[in-house]
């Protein structure tokens, strides 16, 4: 009988420890921890700009997260027309956020860069010949257009530190 009681006590102790461990694991899963390597303060970006002579160039940089930007509307597109692939200036200052596709942009001097999902394009080349683009290893370009209010800050920070 003593052995049975000891066995029951051991099983109860084991179950108590197992339940405590399970509760501890559940509470760890419910807590929200931010790993510094996973937490990013910026989103990578490219900005299309006009040079003084009217040609188009680009800057590589970033846009800070959690900034409230002065915008009033947005729209989605997955359609492309051939004229869009020819050189053209941006119709307005706007963020172009790629949701699907890899897009190769080309500026006046022949330089190129590729936008993939997770990188923001800031289109500010409003004059001159503008830029051109083409899909790379993609059949479709899904994107979100977010116009920037007139005279509003675009929050772009060039990699060289200049704004």
């Amino acid at each position: 009988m003593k052995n049975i009681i000891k066995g029951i006590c051991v099983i109860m102790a084991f179950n108590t420890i197992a339940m405590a461990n399970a509760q501890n694991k559940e509470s760890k899963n419910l807590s929200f921890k931010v790993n510094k390597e996973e937490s990013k303060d910026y989103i990578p970006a490219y900005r299309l700009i006009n040079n003084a002579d009217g040609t188009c160039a680009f800057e590589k940089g970033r846009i800070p997260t959690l900034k409230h930007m002065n915008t009033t509307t947005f729209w989605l597109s997955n359609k492309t027309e051939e004229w869009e692939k020819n050189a053209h200036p941006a119709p307005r200052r706007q963020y172009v956020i790629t949701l699907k596709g890899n897009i190769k942009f080309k500026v006046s001097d022949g330089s190129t860069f590729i936008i993939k999902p997770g990188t923001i394009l800031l289109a500010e080349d409003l004059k001159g010949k503008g830029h051109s683009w083409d899909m790379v290893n993609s059949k479709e370009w899904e994107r979100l257009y977010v116009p920037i209010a007139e005279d509003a800050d675009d929050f772009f920070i060039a990699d060289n530190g200049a704004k």
Side-chain angles (χ1 to χ4, degrees), residues 75-90:
W75 61 92
L76 298 162
S77 180
N78 63 357
K79 305 280 187 230
T80 56
E81 297 181 32
E82 283 307 309
W83 70 265
E84 293 177 295
K85 294 181 182 181
N86 297 322
H88 64 280

Side-chain angles (χ1 to χ4, degrees), residues 15 34 45 68 74 85 90 99 153:
N15 283 341
V34 177
H68 291 254
F74 70 90
K85 294 181 182 181
L99 305 172
D153 191 342

Side-chain angles (χ1 to χ4, degrees), residues 78-80 85 100-103 133-143:
N78 63 357
K79 305 280 187 230
T80 56
K85 294 181 182 181
K100 180 181 178 183
N102 299 312
I103 311 304
W133 59 265
D134 203 2
M135 289 183 245
V136 178
N137 300 325
S138 301
K139 294 180 181 174
E140 189 174 29
W141 183 21
E142 292 179 3
R143 59 213 178 268

Side-chain angles (χ1 to χ4, degrees), residues 41-155:
D41 297 324
Y42 298 94
I43 303 288
Y46 284 90
R47 177 166 61 176
L48 293 168
I49 57 172
N50 285 120
N51 294 319
D53 65 359
T55 58
C56 177
F58 70 88
E59 298 176 291
K60 186 177 179 186
R62 59 198 185 278
I63 296 174
T65 61
L66 302 176
K67 289 282 188 182
H68 291 254
M69 298 173 177
N70 195 356
T71 65
T72 57
T73 189
F74 70 90
W75 61 92
L76 298 162
S77 180
N78 63 357
K79 305 280 187 230
T80 56
E81 297 181 32
E82 283 307 309
W83 70 265
E84 293 177 295
K85 294 181 182 181
N86 297 322
H88 64 280
R92 70 196 67 75
R93 289 177 65 226
Q94 62 188 357
Y95 300 103
V96 182
I97 302 159
T98 296
L99 305 172
K100 180 181 178 183
N102 299 312
I103 311 304
K104 184 179 189 178
F105 283 83
K106 183 177 180 181
V107 296
S108 299
D109 70 358
S111 299
T112 63
F113 62 92
I114 295 179
I115 294 286
K116 297 179 179 184
T119 301
I120 296 174
L121 173 68
L122 177 53
E124 291 188 328
D125 60 329
L126 304 177
K127 298 176 183 172
K129 186 177 178 183
H131 61 276
S132 60
W133 59 265
D134 203 2
M135 289 183 245
V136 178
N137 300 325
S138 301
K139 294 180 181 174
E140 189 174 29
W141 183 21
E142 292 179 3
R143 59 213 178 268
L144 172 70
Y145 291 101
V146 184
I148 302 168
E150 192 172 332
D151 298 322
D153 191 342
D154 61 20
F155 295 103

